[in-house]
Amino acid sequence: MEKYKKQVTILGSVLAVIVVYFFFIQDSSNSATIETIDQNALATIGSTPNIPETEMEDTPQTIIVDVKGAVKFPGVYTLSEEQRIIDAIEAAGGYTDDANPMLINHAQKLQDEMVVYIPNSSEDALEEMELFLQMTEINSTSSGNSSGKININKAAESELTQLPGIGPSKASAIIQHRSEQGNFRTVEDLKQVTGIGDKTFEQLKDLIDVK
């Protein structure tokens, strides 16, 4: 026994060292690994996810357009700025049977406050072109008229062409008429100007004045 006592003691010490390694050193390594995983998980949770730029883009704005003339349901419609004239026509119920869409650019994009006028087949080509206005902007202070109407006795050609159905040729005719015949006494006198018939006057009567 004395012969093997020393060997048993050495073997026991080796076993003790192995046990200490597995229970303490290995456990410490596992704890460090778990702590690293937890920190990574927290960093992932706290980070802000990447949002594609396409999702952050502004949505199209709504606009208001006025559809007139040879459509089934003339009126004011709320649409998107990305839509086209064809969409405004469809919103108004489509064309009537006597509509003449020959000069209409159906692919044109809509704009806020746009006026889309659809002529009918009985209107002459010149009147169709002039009545088709994409944008009508009436200057509320034009010609010194605080009512917002254009004074046809004082307005210049550039102001007259802001009116629906009045192009450069008719604006010149209005100016020539009042120069030769004197000022208009009533708005109905405008129908005395060559090229301005009842249909054109109906578009103008609420937008003009003679005072």
Side-chain angles (χ1 to χ4, degrees), residues 85-191:
I85 284 182
I86 184 63
D87 299 312
I89 294 169
E90 290 177 354
Y95 293 123
T96 58
D97 293 337
D98 63 343
N100 183 359
M102 180 180 63
L103 299 177
I104 307 301
N105 179 6
H106 296 86
Q108 182 177 348
K109 277 191 175 182
L110 298 173
Q111 300 177 34
D112 193 31
E113 301 181 8
M114 193 178 205
V115 176
V116 179
Y117 181 82
I118 309 301
N120 60 53
S121 56
S122 65
E123 294 173 304
D124 59 47
L126 179 59
E127 191 171 10
E128 289 173 3
M129 182 66 76
E130 292 176 347
L131 287 174
F132 177 54
L133 291 181
Q134 287 74 38
M135 194 95 172
T136 302
E137 294 180 356
I138 304 299
N139 188 341
S140 62
T141 59
S142 64
S143 302
N145 193 330
S146 59
S147 67
K149 297 181 179 182
I150 288 182
N151 188 331
I152 56 176
N153 285 327
K154 298 179 180 179
E157 181 177 327
S158 59
E159 293 172 318
L160 292 171
T161 55
Q162 294 178 25
L163 294 166
I166 303 299
S169 61
K170 288 185 180 178
S172 297
I174 292 171
I175 294 173
Q176 182 179 356
H177 185 278
R178 77 187 185 203
S179 298
E180 296 176 352
Q181 306 295 329
N183 287 344
F184 300 99
R185 295 184 178 182
T186 66
V187 292
E188 286 79 7
D189 289 343
L190 188 63
K191 291 190 289 184

